[in-house]
């Protein structure tokens, strides 16, 4: 087993402020990073922002800013939120950074030298907000509505193409041979079906706007934003500059992404890497979307969950816990304020908070504040250790809700053990003193085990528990 773990979030587009979707992916990545550090691994955790492209240029004009001015302003919002959420990233990359631009150009040049990039004519539909060229299938699905959508424009220009079609069979073989590469399975099946419909060569430069990385071969062209953005996963670890760092960390163990950018990460990115002669990441895990009170998030409905507000009101740890406890990672889920409060009260206040409070109180009352050192063969401790093993297996598969359920079982059993033993009655009988101390030891040990397991999810609260 490798003693290193490299995890990434997508880099987030700076035309808008961070919302619950951004927080969800980043908290999940942070939990995985903290978990693997707990297991003794050396971890590199990367997040950051994607700052080039037509959408940024367009938004900056609307707000009366320069593109870099817009990026600088929005980046601070992301950095502030990650700080409030206790995100432990090792690097925050920006695609406007000089080192990233150097690495992205080096990556482009490698693909160019492989004979996979050529100049041609592009004509087709382009979704500006998604920075995405529409496939024939997407165009057919939109029908006449395509002409009334201000976000979708018809482009006709000279452009550099990447020979994506060349990698169709190679990609299919790789995905079929490496079942773990795309997770969960439903997403893998989606990608396979998309590839089987046939891949067309991909336009990877633009001349219709200027906010991007100019190509040295042809400075009138700027690099397609997805070619630029995806390369961040290697430019952040020294690609083209620091081979020792690249060798240490690449390939990444997991790219965490939302399902809406699955195709870019599971088709475009691996094809680019193959072209440049680099190994592919070990896995891409695409999680689902959040709905808000049963409805899709929408600016027009004003139903975006502001993570800043929730963290300010309830604290970072409860918010982090809820995001990964409520439904299986990989599936869509619903954010309901009432359900959040129920989780807060039932799981954290009642099961965890009351357990810790009353057990510490009993140690103070019956043992002078010192945890008795009277280990006994306790079924509760043995069961807790088994739950810890199950927890680790779930974490390795990123089934966070099931991992947290193992912790919930430890807490529930410990509470039940206290109720059954009735230590307040035992304390009245001097002959039961040793037995009482053994119980207190095992209850505190179960709490210790639970606090270690909960640490990746709630680093602040578990730190306070362990101090007590």
């Amino acid at each position: 087993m490798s003693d290193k773990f490299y995890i990434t979030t997508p880099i987030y587009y700076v035309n808008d402020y961070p919302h619950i979707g951004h927080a969800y992916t980043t908290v999940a990545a942070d939990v995985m990073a903290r978990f693997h550090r707990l297991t003794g691994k050396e971890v590199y955790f990367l997040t950051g922002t994607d700052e080039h492209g037509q959408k940024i240029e367009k938004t900056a004009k609307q707000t009366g800013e320069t593109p870099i001015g817009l990026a600088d302003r929005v980046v601070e919002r992301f950095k502030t939120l990650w700080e409030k959420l206790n995100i432990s990233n090792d690097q925050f990359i920006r695609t406007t950074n000089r080192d990233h631009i150097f690495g992205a150009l080096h990556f482009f040049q490698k693909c160019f030298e492989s004979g996979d990039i050529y100049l041609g004519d592009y004509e087709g539909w382009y979704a500006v907000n998604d920075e995405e060229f529409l496939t024939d299938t997407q165009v057919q699905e939109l029908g006449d509505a395509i002409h009334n959508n201000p976000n979708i424009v018809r482009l006709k220009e000279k452009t550099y193409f990447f020979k994506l079609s060349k990698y169709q069979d190679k990609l299919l073989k790789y995905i079929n041979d490496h079942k773990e590469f795309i997770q969960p399975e439903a997403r893998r099946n989606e990608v396979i079906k998309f590839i089987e419909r046939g891949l067309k060569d991909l336009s990877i430069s633009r001349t219709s706007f200027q906010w991007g990385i100019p190509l040295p071969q042809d400075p009138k062209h700027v690099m397609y934003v997805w070619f630029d953005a995806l390369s961040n996963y290697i430019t952040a670890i020294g690609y083209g500059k620091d081979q020792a760092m690249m060798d240490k960390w690449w390939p990444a163990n997991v790219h965490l992404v939302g399902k809406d950018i699955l195709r870019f990460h599971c088709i475009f990115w691996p094809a680019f890497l193959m072209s440049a002669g680099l190994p592919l990441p070990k896995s891409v895990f695409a999680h689902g979307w959040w709905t808000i009170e049963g409805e899709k998030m929408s600016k027009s409905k004003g139903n975006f969950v502001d993570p800043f507000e929730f963290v300010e009101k309830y604290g970072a740890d409860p918010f982090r816990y809820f995001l990964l406890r409520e439904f299986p990672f990989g599936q869509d889920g619903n954010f309901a304020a009432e359900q959040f409060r129920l989780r807060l009260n039932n799981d954290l206040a009642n099961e965890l908070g009351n357990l810790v409070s009353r057990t510490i109180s009993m140690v103070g009352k019956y043992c002078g504040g010192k945890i008795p050192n009277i280990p006994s063969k306790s079924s509760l401790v043995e069961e807790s250790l088994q739950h810890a093993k199950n927890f680790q297996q779930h974490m390795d598969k990123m089934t966070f809700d099931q991992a947290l359920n193992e912790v919930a079982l430890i807490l529930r059993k410990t509470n039940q053990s206290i109720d059954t033993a009735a230590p307040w009655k035992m304390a009245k009988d001097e002959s039961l003193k040793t037995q009482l101390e053994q119980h207190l030891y095992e209850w505190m040990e179960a709490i210790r085990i639970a606090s270690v397991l909960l640490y990746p999810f709630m680093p602040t609260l578990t730190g306070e528990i362990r101090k007590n």
Side-chain angles (χ1 to χ4, degrees), residues 157-266:
E157 59 184 345
K158 282 282 184 189
T159 181
Y160 284 89
F161 285 87
F162 176 80
K163 293 181 181 177
L164 190 62
S165 58
K166 170 182 169 181
Y167 290 92
Q168 179 170 322
D169 293 342
K170 195 173 180 181
L171 278 170
L172 267 179
K173 184 177 188 316
Y174 187 89
I175 293 166
N176 283 316
D177 290 349
H178 298 80
K179 305 296 185 191
E180 74 289 350
F181 177 54
I182 303 172
Q183 299 177 49
E185 186 181 358
R187 305 290 174 232
R188 184 165 64 86
N189 293 337
E190 275 179 43
V191 173
I192 289 171
K193 285 178 185 174
F194 189 90
I195 296 172
E196 286 175 343
R197 288 200 293 265
L199 297 180
K200 292 184 177 180
D201 290 352
L202 178 69
S203 170
I204 56 167
S205 74
R206 313 257 27 96
T207 57
S208 51
F209 61 93
Q210 285 75 49
W211 184 238
I213 302 174
L215 301 184
Q217 299 94 336
D218 197 340
K220 297 191 301 293
H221 291 253
V222 295
M223 194 182 295
Y224 173 45
V225 68
W226 274 105
F227 196 100
D228 166 5
L230 288 163
S231 66
N232 94 91
Y233 302 129
I234 52 175
T235 65
I237 51 171
Y239 180 71
K241 268 194 163 181
D242 188 341
Q243 192 57 44
M245 190 176 183
M246 266 294 289
D247 291 343
K248 178 177 180 177
W249 292 110
W250 192 256
N253 293 78
V254 59
H255 293 321
L256 277 189
V257 301
K259 65 180 183 179
D260 53 324
I261 52 174
L262 181 71
R263 184 157 36 101
F264 303 104
H265 285 81
C266 298

Side-chain angles (χ1 to χ4, degrees), residues 18 49 51 84 87 92 113-114 135 139 171 175 220 309 325 336 363 438:
T49 43
E51 301 178 18
K84 287 181 179 294
I87 304 301
F92 188 102
E113 290 169 3
S114 295
T135 63
V139 172
L171 278 170
I175 293 166
K220 297 191 301 293
E309 287 182 11
R325 178 72 173 105
V363 170
Q438 286 177 333

Side-chain angles (χ1 to χ4, degrees), residues 360 363-364 367-374 437 440-442 444-445 448 466 468:
I360 289 175
V363 170
C367 305
K370 189 174 181 181
I371 299 171
N373 188 18
I374 312 181
E437 289 178 344
L440 284 167
Y441 171 85
E442 68 185 34
M444 289 301 291
E445 178 63 3
R448 184 193 70 79
R466 292 171 70 79
N468 291 323

Side-chain angles (χ1 to χ4, degrees), residues 291-309:
T291 55
I292 309 300
E293 306 290 352
E295 293 187 314
K296 187 177 178 181
M297 279 195 294
S298 163
K299 280 185 182 177
S300 60
K301 290 178 181 175
N303 67 345
F304 270 69
V305 171
D306 184 346
F308 287 96
E309 287 182 11

Side-chain angles (χ1 to χ4, degrees), residues 394-438:
H394 288 306
M395 290 296 286
D396 286 333
K397 295 183 289 187
M398 287 187 283
T399 48
F400 299 118
D401 61 318
Q402 293 179 53
L404 286 169
N405 194 52
E406 296 293 333
V407 184
L409 289 169
I410 295 173
L411 300 176
R412 198 169 304 140
K413 288 177 179 179
T414 308
N415 275 312
Q416 288 169 351
S417 175
I418 293 172
D419 293 340
T420 301
W424 46 90
K425 293 181 181 176
M426 296 174 71
K428 296 174 182 176
D429 187 340
E430 188 63 28
S431 68
L432 297 176
K433 181 174 173 56
T434 299
Q435 191 178 338
L436 172 61
E437 289 178 344
Q438 286 177 333

